[in-house]
Amino acid sequence: MIGELLFFLVLGIGGLAAVEEVERKVKQPNIVMMVSDDLGWADMPWHDSLAIAPTLTGLADSGIILERHYVQPICSPTRSALMTGKYPSRLGLNHMTINAGEPYGLGVDEKTIANHLKDLGYATHLSGKWHLGYCSWALTPTQRGFDTSFGYYNGKETYFSKISAKYFDFRLDRLGDDGNTT
């Protein structure tokens, strides 16, 4: 009798833990963060009715529009600030774009928003342009908190040819169970 009671007690506690885990995951909102380079204030339909983008309008109507993130005039500094929450000058990335083949990137000691979201139990995926360095695997998106990365490491790609700096630049990376990029 005691053995059966203990079994049910352990089963009950395990079941409660599983229910709490499911409830915790259900309560987390989905987060979709979109970044678009080189847009002016009136290029979005919620600022100018002449701009027509029904899908973006629908996403904006059902989400949150962040309009006070002041950006740099070029990509890498803006992306580094958004990914880390730090001013680009504190990251050493305030005056330059990380070009193809450059031997540096966003410091590996910097935690990205993807790292923080992973700590909270989120699955994280990057689609589009990274532009924060790739001279070593440690600088690539799947080593910076993203489970997968589908897109470009560089800037100045053409979306049709996928060419940047005379080289093909289109990736589909996954983080393997062993922590390595595949």
Side-chain angles (χ1 to χ4, degrees), residues 8-82:
F8 286 117
L9 182 62
V10 170
L11 182 62
I13 291 172
L16 286 176
V19 168
E20 288 174 4
E21 180 67 18
V22 168
E23 285 178 358
R24 186 180 68 81
K25 287 191 178 205
V26 169
K27 291 179 184 176
Q28 289 182 321
N30 291 322
I31 300 171
V32 176
M33 185 168 60
M34 298 174 71
V35 178
S36 185
D37 290 337
D38 305 322
L39 289 176
W41 180 262
D43 291 335
M44 292 288 110
W46 47 90
H47 292 294
D48 185 348
S49 60
L50 296 177
I52 300 170
T55 302
L56 287 177
T57 301
L59 287 169
D61 289 345
S62 65
I64 299 171
I65 301 171
L66 302 177
E67 297 184 310
R68 299 285 185 221
H69 179 78
Y70 297 100
V71 298
Q72 304 297 309
I74 51 181
C75 322
S76 297
T78 294
R79 289 170 188 280
S80 65
L82 185 63

Side-chain angles (χ1 to χ4, degrees), residues 120-139:
L120 295 172
Y122 280 92
T124 57
H125 307 281
L126 174 72
S127 178
K129 182 169 71 169
W130 174 243
H131 216 185
L132 290 173
Y134 70 97
C135 66
S136 72
W137 283 116
L139 296 174

Side-chain angles (χ1 to χ4, degrees), residues 110-120 143-146:
E110 297 297 338
K111 212 169 175 183
T112 68
I113 191 169
N115 295 122
H116 291 290
L117 290 171
K118 290 290 291 177
D119 291 345
L120 295 172
Q143 297 299 312
R144 307 310 302 270
F146 289 98

